[in-house]
Amino acid sequence: MPWWSRIANVFRRDASGLNSELDEELQAHIAMRADQFMEEGVPAAEARRRAERLFGNTLLVRERTRDADVAQWLDALLQDLRYAVRMMRHSPVLTGVIVLSLGLGIGANTAFFTLTNALLLKQLPVKDPARLVSVEIGRPGEARWGDSFTNPTWEEFDRRQDIASGAFAYAAQSFNAGASGETRMITGAIASGRVFETLGVEPVVGRLFAGSDDRRGGGSDGPVAVLGYDYWQRAYGLDPSIVGRSILLDGKPYKVVGVAPESFYGIYVGQRFDVIVPLGTETYRTSDPKLLDARSTWIVSIVARLKPEWTQARANERLKALAPGIFEATVPPNRPPKIVQDFLANRLRVTDAARGLSAVSDSMRSAVLLLNGFVALVLLIACANVANLLLARATVRAREFTVRMALGASRGRLLRQSLTESLLLALAGAALGLGIAQPAAQALVSISGRSTAQMSLDLAPDGRVLLFTTAIGIFCGLLFGMAPAWRAARNTLLPRIAGTAGDGKGRLRASLVSLQVALSVVVLVGCGLFLSSWQNLSKASLGFDPNHVVLAKVDLGTLTLDQDQRAEAVEDVRRQLRSAPGVEEASASILTPMGSGMWSSLIVGDDGKGGRREHEIYYNAVSPGFFRALGTPLLAGRAIEAGDRKASTQVAVVNESFARQVFGVGNPVGRYFEEGVAASKTGFATQKVQVVGIVRDATYRDLRQAPPPTMYRPLAQARALPYVTFAIRGPGEVEQLIPIVRAAFAATGSRFSYTLQTYPMRMRDAMVTERLLAALSTLFGALALGLAGMGLYGVLAYSVTRRSGEIGIRMALGATAAHIRNWVLRQSGITVLTGFAAGLLLALWLAPVAKTLLYGVKTSDWRVYAASLATLLAIAFTASYLPARRATRLNPVQALRHD
């Protein structure tokens, strides 16, 4: 019979139809042989008996014939599945508990894998992404290379390169889409003209800009813009008539020429653009004709599409030859010889960019990968719990399995049946997990974002996510299904029929609980480490007071004012803010602590031996009132004052680290150092700067970084003034300051566009990774403890029930309630301490993986391990108390009759 007919027979709608046909065929054969006997003169009844005896066991023949007419493996599988469904329906509470437990565990794992997939594994939705490479800069032997370039370096690379069929420069940017007053910031990007051509992206409506649009000030259509699909939907309701109309970006009109496809977010993973504009129009948007010629402004990344005949290795060899010429042509000005020498020593290389460039910090990626491990441990604990539940059910079903063996079922068939039930439960849990994974992943993205930059990822499930969920479901089914399947298949026939068999005194179930405890210890230790790290970071000495402060950032680049006019305008706004009711102090500065920017300056100081030594120092330009507004203590001398003008003595206030590094011991107030300001015949010119004050060390940019040597120069004496941030301090809550700040800016005639942020919000943004790790590890720790406690309670309760007879004998022989209670608690203690010892060793081995994400706490901190043990013992005692109490209340006579 053909194989397809055998498979078709398995799915025949009439279950008994095939058996009826076989019976008719068998009876026809018997009748034919009986006719032959009757032709020989044998009576009809005797002929029938002879024919049946000659034919043999008709039932056995029918079964053998049926087996030949169906796909046996498929038929057996369907029988097992039908029986498994009946068993699930027979125990709805048990089924619901198992499916829900697995659904939550698998859903959490799938959610984190979805996040990992979007961050690290998905390729860009562009044409042939495998040919895309990112250009990096660095020096041979260095572990980390950068991917940021100046525009002159990009232009020189594009002019000289011959490895790529297309290349483009790209940079993330934010635009103010509001007309005036408080900003309405949207995410955006700037890119060179061939970006869409190189990526192979087609527009939804209109057109995408090209090389002809990438001109200083704009092409034939003037400054143009392309909208992201999501922003087109959100802001314009998918109205196609937006093409050809103008929109305002930072107060300048741009003509919309098209909309990018829905699937294209840009090349930065984690950051979706709302608007993208040509790189050349930056001189128009910022009103700075020299911006794109600046050789010290590192603003763009470079991506290229390799030609078909070029491999990455061959391209890197070619870039070794091209790099010296590119860097010689783009040496930054106003740099000392050592800096120039280091710059010329740089080399170029390409790396894979099929998955895009990451806008997500290394710490966030590490945190996501680490949390993947946490949820995997929680799932293993859940699997151990499910295995214990199924072991208990297998004990209840022991007589059923024994009867089936007595009727001829093989041990292999029982093993397969039990595994089928486990796999069906696991796949039901996986289906539930897949349903909750995407909302959970969206929630993770939401809590991982910052107030000023929400992370945006493509979280749509793809084949990789579906494969992962299916694989993890099958893995879990096999993992928790093996123990009960093995128990079912190794039934001893006679003791089970007699009802006298044991189950190994619960050793297997106790071992599973010890495993749960061990894994819970790892999760608890991780939870303790991350909570301690977050608390330490929250209590870290900042050197300033962020409470009661509102920040207002103003981009001065869009104003057609020279440097001196900008400084005067900033001082006018500062005075307006300072005089507002409810404001204690207001200041302006280029940078504020915990911001995203960083400036540095090269200075020359005394080396203590009569010589000169160069130092790279962190730089900030500040107005009068800066230290008072931020609550930074002045330790000696004076602060920046209104009299520190451009024409007056060049002065600076320095922090403690600056004083130690540049001047050594002693009071630096009144002493001088030299600051690099311009190129000269010797390659570097300096100006003398006098130290007029010293302030306490304060965090500059990163909470984890020790306060660096920093100098604070007057805003009026600043090298440049592209933007400032006003810091406004009041006596009350920051929410009460916000309307006051808005009113003060309105009183200036809406001359400035400003972005408001409270300082406490900035601090929360700075600790988003630590807060995420602390919150989620605490959640996983609670889940792990709950599951371990449930497992321990189940084992002890089962043990008390199973050993009721023994307890009755002990009580009949004089054992007191305290003896029985201590006996049960001792069982619990042995199980918990065995698991804790194993978990302790595992935690000590795994803890160094999290070292880079910790702050102020060692991975071997004994307090964390002691707290984990105390918490575990408390949960164990709670889980053990009820079974122990029940054991002490057993009636000895009833207990002796239990079996």
Side-chain angles (χ1 to χ4, degrees):
M1 177 178 287
W3 63 268
W4 57 84
S5 297
R6 297 176 67 191
I7 292 177
N9 282 335
V10 175
F11 295 99
R12 291 186 62 156
R13 300 184 69 179
D14 52 334
S16 60
L18 181 60
N19 290 338
S20 299
E21 292 178 5
L22 291 175
D23 284 337
E24 291 175 3
E25 186 177 349
L26 291 175
Q27 292 303 319
H29 282 291
I30 292 173
M32 290 173 61
R33 180 56 61 92
D35 289 344
Q36 291 178 0
F37 285 133
M38 285 189 293
E39 289 177 358
E40 295 174 359
V42 179
E46 180 64 23
R48 178 74 182 183
R49 282 194 298 271
R50 286 186 183 183
E52 289 177 344
R53 187 169 58 250
L54 183 64
F55 200 84
N57 189 332
T58 55
L59 181 61
L60 180 62
V61 172
R62 190 189 73 178
E63 287 302 313
R64 288 175 177 173
T65 306
R66 184 182 183 281
D67 288 344
D69 287 346
V70 300
Q72 295 183 46
W73 62 271
L74 181 59
D75 186 49
L77 175 62
L78 290 178
Q79 289 180 26
D80 290 342
L81 287 173
R82 285 192 290 267
Y83 188 77
V85 170
R86 286 200 301 272
M87 291 304 300
M88 290 171 64
R89 293 174 59 186
H90 183 69
S91 307
V93 175
L94 179 66
T95 299
V97 169
I98 291 175
V99 171
L100 181 60
S101 300
L102 293 174
L104 292 174
I106 294 175
N109 277 267
T110 303
F112 274 94
F113 180 78
T114 300
L115 199 58
T116 305
N117 182 44
L119 277 173
L120 305 176
L121 302 177
K122 274 190 176 181
Q123 292 189 332
L124 292 175
V126 298
K127 178 183 177 182
D128 193 12
R131 302 297 301 170
L132 295 178
V133 292
S134 170
V135 182
E136 294 185 343
I137 179 174
R139 285 187 283 275
E142 289 185 343
R144 296 178 65 87
W145 288 38
D147 61 357
S148 183
F149 296 87
T150 66
N151 185 64
T153 306
W154 145 247
E155 291 179 346
E156 196 67 26
F157 169 84
D158 192 41
R159 186 176 67 82
R160 293 173 181 253
Q161 70 88 16
D162 54 4
I163 63 172
S165 58
F168 61 89
Y170 192 99
Q173 184 61 269
S174 5
F175 302 122
N176 174 22
S180 61
E182 190 171 355
T183 59
R184 183 166 63 87
M185 303 305 294
I186 59 175
T187 59
I190 54 176
S192 57
R194 298 185 64 191
V195 55
F196 297 110
E197 176 189 344
T198 302
L199 293 174
V201 174
E202 298 295 331
V204 175
V205 294
R207 69 176 180 88
L208 304 177
F209 64 71
S212 58
D213 298 298
D214 188 20
R215 310 276 188 219
R216 304 288 174 96
S220 58
D221 284 337
V224 299
V226 171
L227 303 183
Y229 187 93
D230 183 67
Y231 183 66
W232 180 45
Q233 181 180 46
R234 190 171 71 248
Y236 301 103
L238 302 181
D239 181 5
S241 68
I242 187 63
V243 175
R245 288 156 52 188
S246 289
I247 60 173
L248 287 179
L249 300 178
D250 293 335
K252 303 291 180 66
Y254 280 76
K255 181 181 179 181
V256 176
V257 294
V259 178
E262 184 177 7
S263 60
F264 182 64
Y265 293 1
I267 67 167
Y268 285 122
V269 178
Q271 185 168 308
R272 183 196 307 251
F273 71 85
D274 291 330
V275 179
I276 184 169
V277 300
L279 176 61
T281 60
E282 279 296 274
T283 56
Y284 162 76
R285 184 180 69 87
T286 62
S287 302
D288 183 356
K290 298 180 180 179
L291 175 67
L292 296 178
D293 297 321
R295 295 185 179 183
S296 56
T297 304
W298 302 73
I299 56 173
V300 297
S301 299
I302 300 175
V303 174
R305 180 178 292 279
L306 290 181
K307 294 176 180 177
E309 66 273 17
W310 285 82
T311 63
Q312 287 189 26
R314 184 185 172 197
N316 284 332
E317 288 298 319
R318 176 59 177 155
L319 289 178
K320 285 182 182 178
L322 293 177
I326 293 173
F327 292 125
E328 284 174 7
T330 57
V331 174
N334 305 334
R335 293 294 186 272
K338 178 64 169 60
I339 300 298
V340 172
Q341 182 181 352
D342 289 343
F343 179 81
L344 292 175
N346 282 319
R347 291 296 176 263
L348 298 175
R349 71 180 183 190
V350 295
T351 57
D352 178 55
R355 296 171 181 83
L357 308 181
S358 180
V360 180
S361 67
D362 290 339
S363 62
M364 181 60 74
R365 286 197 298 272
S366 300
V368 169
L369 292 175
L370 192 64
L371 288 169
N372 270 288
F374 269 86
V375 293
L377 289 178
V378 172
L379 181 59
L380 288 177
I381 296 171
C383 286
N385 232 18
V386 172
N388 258 334
L389 290 173
L390 293 182
L391 276 172
R393 190 175 71 166
T395 302
V396 174
R397 294 175 62 189
R399 192 180 295 271
E400 172 202 334
F401 290 133
T402 303
V403 170
R404 293 180 66 184
M405 290 177 65
L407 293 176
S410 67
R411 295 183 186 276
R413 181 60 187 269
L414 292 179
L415 178 67
R416 187 178 65 196
Q417 174 64 53
S418 185
L419 282 178
T420 300
E421 293 177 21
S422 299
L423 285 171
L424 194 60
L425 287 168
L427 290 176
L432 176 62
L434 189 63
I436 66 177
Q438 191 170 11
Q442 291 282 8
L444 286 171
V445 169
S446 297
I447 65 176
S448 303
R450 291 171 168 81
S451 61
T452 55
Q454 182 64 44
M455 190 163 61
S456 179
L457 293 170
D458 179 11
L459 299 175
D462 57 9
R464 196 180 287 112
V465 172
L466 295 176
L467 180 62
F468 172 84
T469 307
T470 304
I472 203 171
I474 293 173
F475 171 77
C476 288
L478 293 175
L479 186 65
F480 68 71
M482 286 305 297
W486 174 74
R487 173 59 52 82
R490 65 182 289 271
N491 271 306
T492 304
L493 194 60
L494 290 178
R496 287 299 181 190
I497 293 176
T500 60
D503 68 342
K505 296 185 179 180
R507 286 190 294 271
L508 179 57
R509 299 189 69 200
S511 298
L512 287 172
V513 173
S514 291
L515 174 63
Q516 287 180 285
V517 171
L519 297 177
S520 298
V521 170
V522 178
V523 179
L524 279 177
V525 168
C527 171
L529 291 174
F530 290 128
L531 276 175
S532 299
S533 178
W534 180 50
Q535 289 175 351
N536 291 340
L537 208 58
S538 301
K539 297 175 182 177
S541 176
L542 302 173
F544 68 97
D545 179 13
N547 298 308
H548 314 295
V549 177
V550 170
L551 303 174
K553 186 173 182 179
V554 173
D555 185 358
L556 302 175
T558 58
L559 301 177
T560 55
L561 301 174
D562 61 28
Q563 181 78 1
D564 294 339
Q565 290 172 326
R566 289 183 182 184
E568 287 296 328
V570 167
E571 182 60 22
D572 289 342
V573 175
R574 189 188 76 84
R575 284 194 292 264
Q576 184 75 34
L577 290 167
R578 192 169 185 268
S579 62
V583 173
E584 291 182 345
E585 185 59 271
S587 70
S589 60
I590 290 180
L591 303 172
T592 48
M594 307 303 302
S596 58
M598 182 188 74
W599 281 34
S600 64
S601 182
L602 201 74
I603 69 161
V604 180
D606 191 343
D607 65 358
K609 300 177 182 178
R612 292 156 58 85
R613 187 172 65 172
E614 294 177 355
H615 306 268
E616 188 163 6
I617 299 297
Y618 282 65
Y619 171 94
N620 198 358
V622 304
S623 75
F626 175 79
F627 302 112
R628 184 166 179 263
L630 293 188
T632 302
L634 182 68
L635 303 179
R638 67 172 177 87
I640 300 299
E641 297 176 350
D644 297 321
R645 313 298 296 171
K646 186 174 183 180
S648 61
T649 303
Q650 299 294 306
V651 298
V653 174
V654 302
N655 69 350
E656 297 169 283
S657 296
F658 182 106
R660 284 193 299 268
Q661 179 170 316
V662 178
F663 297 111
V665 296
N667 188 350
V669 176
R671 301 177 67 175
Y672 289 86
F673 61 86
E674 296 179 32
E675 179 187 14
V677 291
S680 68
K681 292 181 180 179
T682 60
F684 188 54
T686 62
Q687 65 177 359
K688 279 194 171 185
V689 179
Q690 183 183 29
V691 176
V692 296
I694 180 170
V695 293
R696 179 169 295 168
D697 280 346
T699 300
Y700 186 90
R701 184 180 180 186
D702 189 349
L703 276 169
R704 294 172 174 270
Q705 179 189 27
T710 308
M711 67 174 177
Y712 303 89
R713 302 271 277 116
L715 270 179
Q717 297 177 357
R719 300 196 303 262
L721 208 57
Y723 45 78
V724 294
T725 298
F726 294 95
I728 305 98
R729 175 177 290 277
E733 297 299 323
V734 288
E735 288 76 14
Q736 299 172 358
L737 269 178
I738 291 177
I740 297 173
V741 173
R742 286 176 174 148
F745 269 102
T748 66
S750 301
R751 186 180 186 187
F752 297 98
S753 294
Y754 59 94
T755 304
L756 290 182
Q757 183 187 29
T758 67
Y759 228 129
M761 182 61 73
R762 175 178 286 189
M763 299 302 297
R764 285 194 290 272
D765 287 349
M767 293 189 289
V768 64
T769 300
E770 290 76 15
R771 191 171 66 252
L772 178 71
L773 281 169
L776 292 181
S777 63
T778 301
L779 172 62
F780 298 147
L783 286 174
L785 279 176
L787 290 169
M790 289 169 56
L792 182 61
Y793 170 80
V795 165
L796 291 177
Y798 174 76
S799 177
V800 167
T801 301
R802 186 178 59 81
R803 303 179 73 174
S804 294
E806 179 185 345
I807 293 172
I809 294 173
R810 286 173 179 266
M811 295 177 71
L813 293 176
T816 65
H819 287 126
I820 299 299
R821 182 174 58 250
N822 292 338
W823 174 61
V824 175
L825 292 177
R826 187 164 55 250
Q827 281 187 293
S828 167
I830 292 172
T831 301
V832 171
L833 291 177
T834 301
F836 181 80
L840 180 65
L841 295 175
L842 185 60
L844 286 170
W845 181 59
L846 292 175
V849 175
K851 186 176 182 180
T852 58
L853 293 170
L854 299 177
Y855 177 84
V857 59
K858 295 181 179 179
T859 56
S860 57
D861 190 332
W862 67 268
R863 292 169 298 182
V864 171
Y865 292 87
S868 300
L869 176 59
T871 306
L872 198 60
L873 289 176
I875 294 296
F877 179 80
T878 303
S880 308
Y881 176 74
L882 289 178
R885 181 184 176 189
R886 179 186 167 200
T888 62
R889 295 186 174 186
L890 283 175
N891 186 303
V893 175
Q894 293 179 349
L896 289 170
R897 293 174 178 173
H898 181 267
D899 291 331

